[in-house]
Amino acid sequence: MKKTSTRLADGRELIYYDLRDDTVRTAADRRPLDRTVTTSEIRRDVLLGDSVAIASHRQGRTYHPPADECPLCPTRGERLSEIPDSSYDVVVFENRFPSLAGDSGRCEVVCFTSDHDASFADLSGEQARLVLDAWTDRTSELSHLPSVEQVFCFENRGEEIGVTLGHPHGQIYAYPFTTPRTALMLRSIAAHKEATGGENLFDAVLRGETAGRRVVLESEHWVAFVPYAAHWPYEVHLYPRRRVPDLLALDEAARTEFPQVYLELLRRFDRIFATGDGNRGAADEPRTPYIAAWHQAPFGTLEEFDGVTRDDFALHLELFTIRRTSGKLKFLAGSESGMNVFINDVPPERAAERLREVASS
């Protein structure tokens, strides 16, 4: 992997990650851009104990542009974009409309490929590995920023999820605090550790799931399963078999095997709603919308979590779709949105069975 850092016309950082070591990146951003002005602010909810990012400048962000005006495609001739070069493998740059900025953290965009019509599932193993290396490098770099406590790499795919740019891409959020979901996990780890005399909760969960009937696929270094209490109709958790706190700690064997396992998972997600003849359910039904979210241990102090250390946390990826059946979405209505109590219409055991059924030949 070759890494080349440069600056866009408004001062934002852009980084090329290339497969070839002899690739030269010298193209300049020719757009007449003013310096980016953000109004991101973190406000604490004293009743719930969580935080909300207020970012009014995002109202003006790019919204469903036509394909020939996509800002994530490479620059071609006089058609200027966020990426100054005419081609790329993987690119990461500071978001022009960030939810978090300055002392409130940082937001970055990760472009997986220059092919506008592709998706992550279409990548080769070599390309997927390059994305993994980019996620790892950005996790390392962002963790050293004084305002950053947790790094979150994720992908939203599909208009149903709220994606406003059709180009295959993900994002990285660097939070100035430990996120509420991670804090809940850390408290559960602490409680389990005390109740069992030191057993790790993630180890217990993984041991129980791999012995059960919700495993979707497994390999020497990775295992994917539908969790016992899945919140979403089709939800898969992907764990390295060796517990590590973050992407930085993955060994080379796990890194090498990751593309094969993850690409197969994504391709199975695209076959969930296929009919018996292998076609999608409805003629105009798009690819399965999903969120893919990496959970990593925070880099800040964990003193409030009763003896829990970073090494007690287990890196894992959670992949889920909001589609519950062909042409129907799972909406977060009263119970979910009002009380945070999920109601799942698809039994996790049936979801795991379906994801095994659609394995590629």
Side-chain angles (χ1 to χ4, degrees):
M1 178 188 78
K2 182 180 180 182
K3 175 183 175 183
T4 306
S5 180
T6 185
R7 292 282 171 179
L8 297 174
D10 56 7
R12 288 175 294 133
E13 184 179 18
L14 179 143
I15 306 163
Y16 294 97
Y17 293 90
D18 288 297
L19 292 168
R20 292 175 55 96
D21 290 337
D22 59 354
T23 303
V24 177
R25 299 294 186 185
T26 58
D29 185 2
R30 293 180 281 136
R31 297 172 298 171
L33 297 180
D34 294 328
R35 286 273 174 176
T36 301
V37 177
T38 63
T39 57
S40 180
E41 174 189 359
I42 301 296
R43 296 187 181 182
R44 183 78 171 170
D45 186 322
V46 295
L47 290 178
L48 296 180
D50 59 12
S51 299
V52 177
I54 309 297
S56 60
H57 61 277
R58 285 174 52 80
Q59 286 281 38
R61 66 187 184 275
T62 308
Y63 187 81
H64 293 301
D68 61 357
E69 296 179 16
C70 174
L72 305 185
C73 287
T75 288
R76 300 280 169 79
E78 296 306 308
R79 182 179 170 278
L80 309 179
S81 76
E82 288 279 64
I83 295 90
D85 218 322
S86 59
S87 66
Y88 64 84
D89 292 331
V90 173
V91 165
V92 177
F93 61 88
E94 288 183 76
N95 198 323
R96 192 178 179 189
F97 303 97
S99 301
L100 309 166
D103 292 340
S104 298
R106 176 159 157 151
C107 292
E108 299 182 339
V109 177
V110 184
C111 297
F112 303 139
T113 171
S114 60
D115 184 353
H116 180 85
D117 298 317
S119 78
F120 202 118
D122 298 322
L123 300 183
S124 68
E126 185 180 39
Q127 290 172 307
R129 170 61 191 264
L130 184 60
V131 176
L132 175 64
D133 290 342
W135 282 331
T136 304
D137 181 72
R138 296 315 301 153
T139 296
S140 175
E141 293 290 329
L142 293 170
S143 71
H144 289 95
L145 296 179
S147 63
V148 171
E149 189 164 311
Q150 186 170 0
V151 179
F152 175 46
C153 306
F154 65 100
E155 180 192 0
N156 298 328
R157 188 180 79 167
E159 291 186 19
E160 302 93 330
I161 298 294
V163 175
T164 57
L165 296 176
H167 196 102
H169 72 287
Q171 299 181 67
I172 302 175
Y173 277 21
Y175 298 100
F177 50 79
T178 296
T179 62
R181 188 176 178 87
T182 302
L184 284 174
M185 293 184 196
L186 293 169
R187 293 188 185 101
S188 295
I189 293 169
H192 185 83
K193 196 173 186 179
E194 181 178 2
T196 60
E199 182 185 47
N200 182 274
L201 179 57
F202 281 112
D203 291 350
V205 168
L206 190 57
R207 184 171 59 251
E209 291 290 2
T210 53
R213 58 193 178 113
R214 289 181 297 276
V215 172
V216 173
L217 64 87
E218 51 187 333
S219 63
E220 183 178 356
H221 301 286
W222 296 87
V223 59
F225 58 87
V226 177
Y228 171 74
H231 289 57
W232 300 94
Y234 291 90
E235 175 182 341
V236 174
H237 293 190
L238 176 63
Y239 279 71
R241 289 187 184 274
R242 183 177 71 88
R243 173 165 46 90
V244 294
D246 52 40
L247 289 166
L248 303 173
L250 281 176
D251 60 26
E252 183 57 31
R255 293 180 185 280
T256 299
E257 198 177 69
F258 171 77
Q260 171 191 346
V261 175
Y262 187 49
L263 290 173
E264 172 61 18
L265 266 185
L266 294 181
R267 291 162 186 165
R268 290 191 193 192
F269 258 60
D270 273 341
R271 293 192 290 267
I272 293 173
F273 305 104
T275 58
D277 57 7
N279 296 317
R280 299 186 192 283
D284 59 348
E285 190 170 272
R287 289 169 161 165
T288 302
Y290 66 71
I291 292 174
W294 280 109
H295 291 261
Q296 306 191 77
F299 289 94
T301 176
L302 300 182
E303 292 178 0
E304 63 180 289
F305 300 108
D306 298 328
V308 172
T309 69
R310 294 191 77 250
D311 289 335
D312 289 319
F313 195 87
L315 167 76
H316 64 284
L317 181 139
E318 297 185 7
L319 172 68
F320 60 90
T321 179
I322 62 170
R323 184 172 291 160
R324 55 189 175 88
T325 188
S326 181
K328 297 179 181 178
L329 300 180
K330 164 64 178 177
F331 293 101
L332 300 190
S335 185
E336 292 88 354
S337 296
M339 284 294 163
N340 201 28
V341 177
F342 276 67
I343 301 169
N344 190 352
D345 301 323
V346 181
E349 293 73 22
R350 173 54 191 150
E353 181 182 15
R354 177 58 180 159
L355 285 161
R356 291 193 297 267
E357 289 173 352
V358 296
S360 59
S361 58

